[in-house]
Amino acid sequence: MLKANNFITNDGIRITYYDTLKSGQPILAVPGIGSSATLWQEAVKLFTEDYRIIIIDPRNQGRSQRTFKGQRISRHAADLAELISRLDLKNIIAVGNSMGAANIWAYVSLFGSQRLQAIVDLDQPPKMIQDSTWHYGFKDLTWKNYPDYLKIDQGSGIYAHINDEMFKEAKIEAQKYPYNAEENYLCRIDHAEQDWRDVLVSLKVPMLVLAGQNSPFFDYHFAYVTRELNPKIDTGIIANCGHLIQAEQPLKMYKEIMKFLQEF
């Protein structure tokens, strides 16, 4: 595991992040809700030769502080902005899995995309709740069963085998720094309410949407519909893969991202 670093946000919360500290273009990785940097280790190995890798543990996740404050996507975006400013990151390739992608879209909405070169979305549609305008949300979530549906244990998002050593380390990390879904419930609600299509329609930087073909949470066809929002959006479907693309199929993810980055 990379060495953990910390900073204190402007609302007084300790955020943990990891940094390879090498020169080169930065990749800023954002885990999904309930997850942490641990499951990105295989991905880090693939990218580290050519890029500087920074991974954030969002508030209430991983080694970051547990708090009742800021259980909303806008605050997560502000945390990203503070980290980016603190490290003076520029020309960033921002990679977000699940809610991590929503955090990046919120960052763009609030702070612009001037510091970004590209965005990579790992298995997250721009809208979670299905309605007459969007048919590719989170499982069976609709306005009729929202928000109670979010209280149900939705099970693991994993489909494919994860590297044994990394998975073991992730379990140890989770036991040492447990995630409490109930105490972070308001964040889940806020995440589910958002509709990021307006942000994506006007997105000024290229974005790659990678969907897990066997994701237990989302129908992978959402990627094709998302692509229609903006000519700057490209897509890829990762076979034999669930929701945690960076952990289940890191090599396939790496190849797709590298191909995408070479196109501009």
Side-chain angles (χ1 to χ4, degrees):
M1 189 66 183
L2 298 172
K3 182 178 180 293
N5 306 275
N6 297 288
F7 72 96
I8 305 299
T9 63
N10 60 14
D11 66 339
I13 302 303
R14 176 184 51 77
I15 298 294
T16 298
Y17 68 96
Y18 303 82
D19 189 348
T20 57
L21 293 173
K22 65 171 292 177
S23 59
Q25 186 175 9
I27 292 178
L28 176 58
V30 189
I33 194 166
S35 190
S36 72
T38 317
L39 289 173
W40 291 76
Q41 292 186 77
E42 291 299 306
V44 169
K45 292 176 185 176
L46 293 166
F47 286 103
T48 195
E49 184 176 340
D50 299 309
Y51 296 92
R52 174 184 177 184
I53 317 297
I54 302 104
I55 312 172
I56 188 171
D57 275 348
R59 59 177 60 204
N60 287 324
Q61 296 175 213
R63 299 190 184 187
S64 288
Q65 185 176 334
R66 299 321 188 242
T67 176
F68 68 93
K69 294 196 290 184
Q71 292 186 44
R72 60 186 67 89
I73 304 299
S74 59
R75 181 63 247 190
H76 281 245
D79 294 344
L80 283 182
E82 289 194 45
L83 177 60
I84 288 168
S85 177
R86 177 186 179 88
L87 300 180
D88 194 24
L89 301 178
K90 299 171 183 175
N91 206 28
I92 302 164
I93 302 163
V95 184
N97 173 228
S98 192
M99 193 181 81
N103 292 351
I104 294 167
W105 298 332
Y107 170 85
V108 172
S109 176
L110 294 169
F111 303 100
S113 58
Q114 293 85 353
R115 287 180 177 259
L116 305 183
Q117 186 197 36
I119 297 170
V120 179
D121 162 19
L122 302 178
D123 209 51
Q124 175 63 51
K127 183 168 163 46
M128 292 277 284
I129 299 177
Q130 298 184 61
D131 58 23
S132 60
T133 73
W134 186 257
H135 305 292
Y136 300 94
F138 177 72
K139 297 183 78 169
D140 296 319
L141 181 63
T142 67
W143 287 112
K144 290 183 179 179
N145 60 24
Y146 166 87
D148 292 340
Y149 186 80
L150 299 172
K151 295 179 180 178
I152 302 170
D153 183 359
Q154 302 293 342
S156 170
I158 298 171
Y159 174 83
H161 179 77
I162 291 177
N163 174 278
D164 289 331
E165 185 178 341
M166 183 172 67
F167 189 72
K168 180 181 177 182
E169 189 169 337
K171 286 186 70 175
I172 294 170
E173 184 86 354
Q175 289 168 357
K176 192 173 182 181
Y177 305 96
Y179 171 72
N180 191 316
E182 187 175 334
E183 290 183 1
N184 202 41
Y185 177 58
L186 293 178
C187 189
R188 240 177 14 260
I189 288 178
D190 189 75
H191 171 40
E193 281 186 352
Q194 305 305 316
D195 182 347
W196 300 106
R197 287 177 292 180
D198 65 310
V199 176
L200 300 189
V201 163
S202 56
L203 194 63
K204 293 181 172 59
V205 297
M207 184 174 82
L208 174 64
V209 180
L210 294 179
Q213 191 168 30
N214 310 99
S215 174
F217 296 156
F218 301 111
D219 178 343
Y220 70 90
H221 291 90
F222 84 82
Y224 301 126
V225 180
T226 303
R227 183 175 62 191
E228 296 173 4
L229 295 173
N230 190 321
K232 289 186 175 293
I233 299 176
D234 200 357
T235 58
I237 309 302
I238 307 297
N240 188 34
C241 187
H243 185 56
L244 298 180
I245 295 174
Q246 73 279 8
E248 297 178 58
Q249 296 291 356
L251 182 57
K252 289 182 180 180
M253 179 195 74
Y254 170 77
K255 290 180 177 179
E256 288 287 344
I257 292 176
M258 292 304 294
K259 182 176 71 172
F260 167 66
L261 294 176
Q262 288 164 8
E263 292 174 354
F264 55 89

